[in-house]
Amino acid sequence: MTLRIHNTLSGKIDELIPGGEKRESISDYPAVTIYSCGPTVYSYAHIGNFRTFVFNDFLRRYLKFRGFEVNHAMNITDVDDKTISGANKENISLKEYTDRYTEIFFENLKQLNIESVEHVPRATESIESMIEIIDKLHKKGLAYENEGSVYFSISKFDGYGKLSRLDKRETRTGIRYDTDEYEKDDVRDFALWKASKEGEVSWDTPYGKGRPGWHIECSAMIRKIFGKTIDIHTGGVDLIFPHHENEIAQSEAAYDEKFVRHWIHVEHLLVEGSKMSKSLGNFYTLKDILDRGYSPRSIRYLLMSAHYKKQLNFTFAGLKQADQALARIDNLIINLKYVKNENPDHEGLEKIIDDLYKNFINSVDDDLNISKGLGIFFEFIHTINTLLSENRLSKQNCARIIKVLEDLDKVFGFIFFPENGSGDIDTEKIEQLIKERSEAKKNRDFEKADMIRDRLLEKGILLEDTRHGTRWKKKR
Ligand code: AMP
Ligand code: ZN
């Protein structure tokens, strides 16, 4: 079995070959180097953005589950038109402004049980690397200056368009470009560096005072962290053109080596048929959904359960179905934990578990088909429920199944494992504090409610608010 994933660059489903050289077994490969375009921190991210971030998390978790090592970077875009104008409107520094939204973003990642990645570079901390690329392009005659800005000359890069396969006519006529930008030699050219306008944040460079263009940020951070061709680059499909096309052009033109082996793009989350986006105003933030009483893991489940190459239409009915799917898993765990009988071991269990692993891996190895993988997982749950109802599982069998669920949850990240007791703080005390917190919330005494939550957190107890009340678990 080999892991094969659709590659936007080749247009095919390609085997993942970390380092570019085929090896005999997974453990022989070098760590998989991954770069994911991160958020622009000018406001709250919406759950459309989180579809892509949950996918990135699923990808890294699955790679590790399969035995690969990962070396993953996700950037924070903390300088662009929107962040600058947001900070100016509030009359605060760019850093103060972007720090606020970066913090909220990280909080959201935690709520969605998205693992931290190995590198989280900020664009504003990578300016030197950007200038290094621009210098190289300039020296090679591939970039030109005009009124303090520096542009990339697309006509001088042969491979332009290889990722997006844009219709040649479109690129030639500039249909997709801002034709009002007269300062460029060719409407298709894009800014590597932008001369700063009055009152804008800027950096001193050999090209004058200015700030980076968006595309150069990612190319520079990739170079700075990995220093060579990377294995995987991810992002939403809206980034294929122009962002990723431009990243390829700059990086390959500057360093004369392949930039990325495998490009993976996630389809959009839609609302009533349109892309969920800030500009259309049809978006929900994570908080919007949590305030309606849904749990973060239901959202994680919903976003993760659809195949990444299929558009997903967001509905509350879909979220309720996610709730129900999770309830099936919760109920199974409760039933497994409280099996009281003294049944003998069920001989066939290991075969059932082997089949589960084999079929699950077969499905997900095939272009990360998690929908199919989940189908197999729920068939397994059905089989186990039947065995439980027929009293055919021993206590050891049940403990073994819980271990399997824990193992699969390394990929899923949405299973809730309740605790029987919890070390230094007793269950009764926890329940009592949860009750007090609910009372406080009812009385709109949010300070007290938060204080109780923090007190429990200090003791290693995590609370989860669901529509059926508050649950708790021990921090792992
Ligand atoms: P941004 O903060 O706008 O740069 O977007 C962060 C990430 O979210 C990028 O990878 C986008 O492609 C992705 N994204 C934006 N809107 C959606 C959507 N509706 N569905 C899925 N991904 C999205
Ligand atoms: Zn990017």
Side-chain angles (χ1 to χ4, degrees):
M1 283 178 284
T2 51
L3 174 55
R4 301 166 79 244
I5 310 174
H6 185 268
N7 185 351
T8 315
L9 187 61
S10 68
K12 295 190 313 240
I13 295 181
D14 291 336
E15 182 179 345
L16 178 72
I17 303 182
E21 212 180 285
K22 180 107 175 112
R23 310 279 169 104
E24 218 149 275
S25 73
I26 288 177
S27 57
D28 298 333
Y29 281 110
V32 187
T33 45
I34 313 170
Y35 182 88
S36 302
C37 287
T40 309
V41 281
Y42 71 101
S43 172
Y44 295 86
H46 56 66
I47 57 164
N49 300 127
F50 285 116
R51 177 178 191 194
T52 295
F53 297 123
V54 166
F55 168 80
N56 295 336
D57 185 56
F58 155 57
L59 172 67
R60 72 173 267 127
R61 282 168 176 262
Y62 187 67
L63 289 171
K64 291 201 288 183
F65 178 78
R66 291 291 277 117
F68 291 102
E69 265 181 62
V70 297
N71 188 10
H72 191 172
M74 179 196 63
N75 75 296
I76 300 289
T77 299
D78 59 354
V79 52
D80 79 324
D81 291 340
K82 289 183 216 147
T83 44
I84 292 174
S85 105
N88 283 352
K89 256 188 218 141
E90 290 192 27
N91 212 6
I92 55 176
S93 72
L94 180 65
K95 180 157 172 28
E96 204 178 325
Y97 185 79
T98 55
D99 275 355
R100 180 201 302 159
Y101 290 109
T102 307
E103 209 173 293
I104 294 167
F105 177 70
F106 283 130
E107 185 58 34
N108 286 172
L109 292 186
K110 234 191 270 164
Q111 287 171 302
L112 288 169
N113 202 14
I114 291 176
E115 288 183 352
S116 354
V117 296
E118 286 68 26
H119 315 270
V120 189
R122 280 155 172 81
T124 52
E125 290 166 5
S126 315
I127 303 286
E128 266 174 41
S129 313
M130 298 178 204
I131 299 298
E132 189 185 304
I133 300 182
I134 297 171
D135 278 347
K136 274 197 183 294
L137 295 172
H138 205 228
K139 282 197 191 103
K140 288 183 166 184
L142 300 166
Y144 59 92
E145 281 182 77
N146 201 338
E147 294 176 10
S149 295
V150 186
Y151 297 94
F152 183 88
S153 202
I154 280 173
S155 60
K156 295 192 180 140
F157 181 68
D158 272 351
Y160 198 79
K162 65 181 171 185
L163 184 73
S164 50
R165 291 182 192 79
L166 266 191
D167 185 319
K168 278 275 184 314
R169 267 170 312 149
E170 269 185 326
T171 51
R172 229 179 287 134
T173 55
I175 287 169
R176 295 217 180 196
Y177 301 82
D178 183 355
T179 37
D180 290 336
E181 292 184 36
Y182 296 116
E183 69 277 17
K184 296 192 269 186
D185 288 356
D186 181 329
V187 287
R188 303 176 307 163
D189 293 347
F190 61 89
L192 296 160
W193 191 257
K194 297 179 170 182
S196 59
K197 296 187 195 122
E198 186 65 30
E200 266 185 11
V201 62
S202 66
W203 285 263
D204 277 323
T205 75
Y207 310 98
K209 270 184 182 309
R211 62 181 177 90
W214 171 34
H215 317 302
I216 194 75
E217 297 183 357
C218 290
S219 281
M221 289 184 265
I222 290 175
R223 190 73 197 175
K224 183 173 162 184
I225 292 166
F226 300 107
K228 57 176 185 199
T229 309
I230 61 166
D231 295 311
I232 299 178
H233 194 315
T234 72
V237 285
D238 54 317
L239 299 190
I240 298 175
F241 183 86
H243 186 49
H244 290 162
E245 194 70 64
N246 291 352
E247 278 187 40
I248 295 179
Q250 301 154 160
S251 294
E252 297 198 346
Y255 297 105
D256 296 309
E257 67 179 19
K258 197 177 180 77
F259 178 45
V260 174
R261 294 190 184 90
H262 221 118
W263 286 88
I264 306 177
H265 290 101
V266 182
E267 265 299 343
H268 282 146
L269 184 71
L270 309 181
V271 184
E272 284 161 23
S274 303
K275 176 191 170 193
M276 181 177 287
S277 74
K278 288 267 165 57
S279 50
L280 291 174
N282 61 350
F283 65 91
Y284 294 100
T285 64
L286 186 56
K287 187 171 177 303
D288 292 337
I289 310 269
L290 300 183
D291 284 350
R292 291 184 182 220
Y294 292 93
S295 68
R297 67 192 188 118
S298 300
I299 302 167
R300 180 179 171 97
Y301 180 94
L302 177 73
L303 296 178
M304 206 180 123
S305 58
H307 191 271
Y308 76 99
K309 290 212 41 85
K310 292 208 173 99
Q311 293 182 330
L312 171 64
N313 200 30
F314 174 78
T315 60
F316 283 97
L319 206 46
K320 282 195 190 104
Q321 277 168 13
D323 261 357
Q324 284 159 8
L326 291 174
R328 278 179 71 192
I329 309 174
D330 291 350
N331 289 337
L332 172 71
I333 292 177
I334 291 168
N335 293 338
L336 288 168
K337 284 216 165 180
Y338 298 104
V339 160
K340 291 219 168 62
N341 60 51
E342 296 300 328
N343 291 337
D345 288 344
H346 179 56
E347 296 290 328
L349 182 64
E350 281 313 310
K351 163 93 172 75
I352 294 171
I353 292 173
D354 281 354
D355 285 349
L356 164 70
Y357 274 95
K358 203 170 69 210
N359 295 333
F360 179 77
I361 288 173
N362 259 334
S363 307
V364 186
D365 270 7
D366 180 14
D367 200 14
L368 302 169
N369 195 341
I370 188 66
S371 332
K372 197 164 166 207
L374 281 169
I376 285 155
F377 176 63
F378 279 105
E379 265 173 40
F380 169 77
I381 291 190
H382 179 74
T383 309
I384 300 299
N385 276 332
T386 309
L387 289 171
L388 276 170
S389 67
E390 293 168 357
N391 276 327
R392 289 168 64 196
L393 292 174
S394 68
K395 275 191 185 161
Q396 280 94 318
N397 283 156
C398 294
R400 169 85 174 104
I401 296 163
I402 297 268
K403 284 268 170 278
V404 170
L405 297 181
E406 281 172 354
D407 191 37
L408 289 174
D409 198 48
K410 289 182 192 148
V411 180
F412 298 152
F414 50 59
I415 301 185
F416 190 94
F417 295 95
E419 300 292 327
N420 298 327
S422 68
D424 20 339
I425 181 160
D426 68 61
T427 312
E428 236 171 76
K429 181 83 191 152
I430 297 169
E431 303 287 352
Q432 172 61 30
L433 285 168
I434 289 177
K435 242 191 228 153
E436 276 180 38
R437 179 170 168 268
S438 304
E439 276 304 308
K441 272 170 84 174
K442 241 186 248 156
N443 300 331
R444 309 192 66 76
D445 185 354
F446 297 113
E447 212 173 306
K448 180 171 176 196
D450 285 351
M451 199 188 72
I452 295 176
R453 192 195 54 207
D454 292 346
R455 208 171 120 199
L456 284 166
L457 194 62
E458 272 169 28
K459 301 265 181 214
I461 306 297
L462 273 177
L463 297 188
E464 188 187 49
D465 293 320
T466 75
R467 284 187 306 142
H468 312 293
T470 302
R471 294 201 267 201
W472 62 271
K473 66 175 174 178
K474 230 171 116 191
K475 218 162 65 179
R476 271 189 278 176

